[in-house]
Amino acid sequence: MNGVTQTQTSETSRAPEFRLVQAALGGLRQELFHDAFAYRPLPRMNVDRGPTRFLPRRIRVYTGLLPHAFVGFWALVAFGLGYDGIYYHFGPLAFLTAAAPAAIVLLTLVRPVLAFWASLCATPFIGYVTGYGDGWPWPDAMLLTHLVVLGVVALRTRPRAAAWMWIVTAVFSLLMEWFLGVGRSSDTGPLLFASAFVLLVVTVFQIRRQADREVTAQQTVTAQERSKRTLLEERTTIARELHDVVAHHMSVVAIQAEAAPYRVENPPPELEQAFLTIRENAVAALTELRRILGVVRAEDYEAPDAPQPTLADLDALVANVREAGLDIEKTVTGAVRELPQGVELSAYRIVQEALSNVLRHAPGAAAKVEVSYVLGGLGLRIANGPARGLVKPSPGAGHGITGMRERVTMLGGEMTAEATDDGGYEVTAFVPVSREEAEK
């Protein structure tokens, strides 16, 4: 216990400068020593974004290798510089010495951090063989090689790694110059200036690319959350409407069950008890329904004074839309009959939302509304042609389709919403209704 206390006390009593140096060395170890030999092949470039997305598909397959071709080009340049710098002195060694810088550049394609250390370690040996030319400690081939390696590695790592690579390069250059560069001209200054410029440009590009990725990811999350919220709001609206519909019917059942015994002269006790049981169950069901579905109401929500709309109100809806400038045709097929109120309400809302979408997305277009009463349920089709006239479309957030689909799914039906070949749009839905439900 005393040993643990003393250790904690010694750690907290260390100077802030020591902790700062410790954190800095930890960052150096994390960026340039940890997994330095890790195999990380350079991925293909994304050709579905930027100017490359306009290229033909057969060409885009190869444009994904542009980063690899870029590295290969600079490897050839490094090979040429190395070979030219040694050919007249050591002929047979020219190829081996020139191949080393090119190999180091190519190494950035698979092991970027290792390529950085290889560039530093190879510089003294290649400089010794080539005689360093006009500068110390960087021969021409290795100076170019190191700049290329710094840029490629910085692109493939985090911005903090770029700073550490520049610091390590500066320390290496200064040590080589101070201890082994007596009487030679120095190229440390030009290298450090050029490398700082290259790393600065690459780091700015990296930070901007990372910011774009974060914004894209945030936009994706926001779109998903917005879609979930829209779905939840639509379900809440449907629950409110169904609450009103079911509560109305359950209230009628309770009232009729209470009044029924008084309509029969001298009803038997069994009949009175049966009606009493019906009324009690109806009231209990109504109370439970209000307790469960009532929580979805907003605090400022007020039930509509007028009855909920049904398919009988479609004529008024169509007339209202015609007054807004939409050329609309309504067709009803099959034997018209009264359907469950929830089905009629949802069908009305689907037609209403589909016509609203036509007004927003295709102003001036001709539209058709088809209502089909079939044996197994109700079919709906709302179709429109392309927009006409001078009024520009005003697209919404896409919540209408979500709401319509949710209503159809809730009723166990199917729905499709897709563009047509003539440039218009079509919404079709089928809601199953059993014979027992239709007779109620």
Side-chain angles (χ1 to χ4, degrees):
M1 186 67 180
N2 294 334
V4 175
T5 305
Q6 291 176 359
T7 302
Q8 294 178 348
T9 303
S10 61
E11 290 180 354
T12 55
S13 61
R14 289 174 178 173
E17 293 80 2
F18 178 83
R19 292 198 297 269
L20 182 62
V21 173
Q22 189 179 28
L25 294 177
L28 173 63
R29 182 176 64 253
Q30 178 68 25
E31 299 297 338
L32 297 183
F33 288 96
H34 185 66
D35 293 336
F37 292 87
Y39 177 72
R40 290 188 293 170
L42 180 65
R44 284 173 170 262
M45 183 179 67
N46 185 7
V47 296
D48 296 327
R49 299 178 59 185
T52 55
R53 69 179 185 274
F54 300 108
L55 296 175
R57 184 174 297 275
R58 289 182 296 179
I59 299 178
R60 275 192 295 168
V61 174
Y62 301 100
T63 54
L65 295 174
L66 281 178
H68 304 75
F70 176 82
V71 175
F73 168 78
W74 286 110
L76 287 176
V77 174
F79 177 84
L81 285 176
Y83 189 84
D84 182 67
I86 195 174
Y87 180 78
Y88 296 104
H89 301 284
F90 297 93
L93 295 177
F95 181 81
L96 180 61
T97 308
I104 292 172
V105 173
L106 293 177
L107 186 60
T108 60
L109 295 175
V110 290
R111 288 181 167 86
V113 178
L114 180 61
F116 168 75
W117 291 112
S119 178
L120 289 180
C121 296
T123 296
F125 298 100
I126 295 179
Y128 175 77
V129 174
T130 60
Y132 291 97
D134 298 330
W136 172 271
W138 297 93
D140 294 341
M142 289 309 301
L143 191 147
L144 175 67
T145 297
H146 199 68
L147 287 176
V148 174
V149 168
L150 287 177
V152 176
V153 176
L155 277 172
R156 303 199 57 198
T157 54
R158 293 181 292 184
R160 188 172 65 174
W164 278 117
M165 285 191 298
W166 188 87
I167 293 174
V168 172
T169 299
V171 172
F172 170 82
S173 300
L174 293 175
L175 289 177
M176 289 288 292
E177 183 177 342
W178 289 342
F179 292 101
L180 300 176
V182 179
R184 297 178 182 269
S185 60
S186 172
D187 53 11
T188 297
L191 172 69
L192 294 182
F193 177 80
S195 60
F197 177 78
V198 170
L199 292 176
L200 178 62
V201 172
V202 171
T203 301
V204 171
F205 176 78
Q206 279 281 73
I207 293 175
R208 180 172 180 178
R209 185 170 62 176
Q210 182 65 26
D212 291 340
R213 290 175 180 173
E214 292 178 357
V215 170
T216 302
Q218 185 62 38
Q219 289 177 345
T220 303
V221 173
T222 302
Q224 294 175 351
E225 293 297 330
R226 186 183 297 113
S227 177
K228 292 180 181 179
R229 185 180 63 188
T230 301
L231 186 62
L232 181 61
E233 291 176 352
E234 189 60 35
R235 288 180 177 178
T236 301
T237 302
I238 296 172
R240 291 171 180 170
E241 294 177 347
L242 286 182
H243 175 271
D244 297 335
V245 172
V246 177
H248 168 73
H249 288 295
M250 293 300 295
S251 299
V252 172
V253 170
I255 294 174
Q256 292 290 340
E258 184 177 8
Y262 299 100
R263 298 183 179 181
V264 180
E265 185 177 359
N266 297 323
E270 295 82 1
L271 183 61
E272 291 183 352
Q273 183 61 37
F275 280 116
L276 179 61
T277 302
I278 293 174
R279 181 182 182 281
E280 290 177 350
N281 286 320
V283 172
L286 183 60
T287 302
E288 186 67 16
L289 177 68
R290 285 172 175 167
R291 185 182 68 83
I292 296 176
L293 293 183
V295 298
V296 303
R297 294 186 183 275
E299 295 180 357
D300 56 349
Y301 175 78
E302 296 181 0
D305 297 332
Q308 296 283 12
T310 63
L311 289 175
D313 301 310
L314 279 183
D315 290 333
L317 175 63
V318 170
N320 188 26
V321 175
R322 282 200 185 104
E323 292 179 358
L326 185 65
D327 182 12
I328 183 171
E329 176 184 352
K330 177 194 167 191
T331 305
V332 179
T333 59
V336 179
R337 63 186 184 277
E338 186 177 354
L339 300 176
Q341 190 171 356
V343 174
E344 296 217 0
L345 172 61
S346 294
Y348 178 90
R349 295 300 189 199
I350 291 172
V351 175
Q352 183 184 42
E353 184 59 39
L355 293 179
S356 298
N357 286 342
V358 176
L359 289 174
R360 286 195 298 266
H361 297 273
K368 294 182 180 180
V369 176
E370 298 178 3
V371 181
S372 302
Y373 290 86
V374 295
L375 184 61
L378 178 70
L380 298 173
R381 178 177 178 269
I382 304 94
N384 64 273
R388 296 181 299 179
L390 300 178
V391 181
K392 294 182 179 180
S394 56
H399 297 171
I401 298 295
T402 302
M404 290 188 286
R405 199 178 301 279
E406 185 65 19
R407 288 180 180 274
V408 174
T409 303
M410 177 196 63
L411 296 173
E414 297 179 354
M415 172 185 155
T416 60
E418 56 188 5
T420 57
D421 295 335
D422 61 352
Y425 205 79
E426 181 182 73
V427 175
T428 60
F430 176 77
V431 179
V433 180
S434 62
R435 180 177 299 179
E436 292 78 7
E437 290 178 328
E439 291 176 354
K440 289 182 181 180

